[in-house]
Amino acid sequence: MSNHRELIPEFSGRFIEPFVGSGAVFFTVLPSKGILGDYNQELINTYLALKNNPTLVRKHLKAHAEKHSDSYYYQVRSNAPRGIYSQAARMIYLNRTCFNGLYRVNLRGEFNVPKGTKNTVLLPDDDFSAISSALKGVTFINDDFEVTLSHYKEGDVIYVDPPYTVKHNNNAFVKYNERIFSWEDQERLANMLTQLAESGAKIVISNADHAAVRNLYGNTCWIKDSLSRATVLASDSARRGKTTELLVRSIACIA
C-alpha cells in the first residue's frame, strides 16, 4: 500500500489508522493530523518516544550499535528496560537485527525472534527528527481498534490493515496471528467499518486476498480488488516473490 499513495482518497480531516504497525502508509501520506492506534503497547511507546525526543532515542540506539554482536542481541532480547526512550531504542535495535524484521512474542508477551543476518543498527538515511516532526499532529491510542475508530469524524479518512487470520499465499503466520486477532475480531472489524461506510466515511482496507475476507465486505458499500506486492516473509526463499493482497475501498452506499 505504501507504493500506492493514489489509493488513499483526498480528505480534509485526520488520517486514522487503528493497526499502525510500521506506519508505512502514514509516512507516505504525511498528514498534518492523525490518530494512530495499536494494541501493542511497546510499539505505541516507541512512536511516543520518537515524537517527544528523537535525539535521546538515537543516543540509546547508538549505544546498541557499538555493542552489537550475537551474544549482545540475546542479552538485549532477554531484558526489558523501564524508560520509554531505552524501550524505543531496544525495539528498533531488535527489529533491525532479528530474523526478517519480524515482531513476535511468546505467550508470556516476551519477544522471541532469533537473531537474523543483518548487523546494521544505524542506517544512513535515519532521520529521527523528521519522524518526530511528522508525528507532531498525531494522537496515539494503545487499545482495541474499536476505540480508535470511535474517534472518527466527518472529513477523516480511515486506513485499516489488520493481522491476517486466514491461510493465503503461503502465509506462514496465521496461527500466530489468530492468537492476537481472531476471526471473530475480523467479523467485528468488518461490521464496524460497514457501519462507518454507511455513514459516509472514506475507508481503505488491505487484508488477506481470500474469499472468506471478501465475503465480509459483501454489500454495496465496497469496491474490492487484488493488489500485487512483493513478499519476503516466507522462511523458504523459493516461496518468496510476488503475492497479492485484498484492497477494499468504501463507496457511496445506502444503509
Side-chain angles (χ1 to χ4, degrees), residues 71-92:
S71 60
Y72 183 75
Y73 172 88
Y74 289 102
Q75 178 185 335
V76 172
R77 196 185 74 166
S78 64
N79 290 287
R82 293 183 178 180
I84 187 173
Y85 301 105
S86 54
Q87 285 177 7
R90 174 184 180 269
M91 186 171 197
I92 296 169

Side-chain angles (χ1 to χ4, degrees), residues 58-77:
R58 183 181 178 86
K59 177 182 177 181
H60 284 294
L61 190 58
K62 184 179 179 182
H64 287 311
E66 292 171 349
K67 299 175 184 177
H68 177 61
S69 66
D70 287 6
S71 60
Y72 183 75
Y73 172 88
Y74 289 102
Q75 178 185 335
V76 172
R77 196 185 74 166

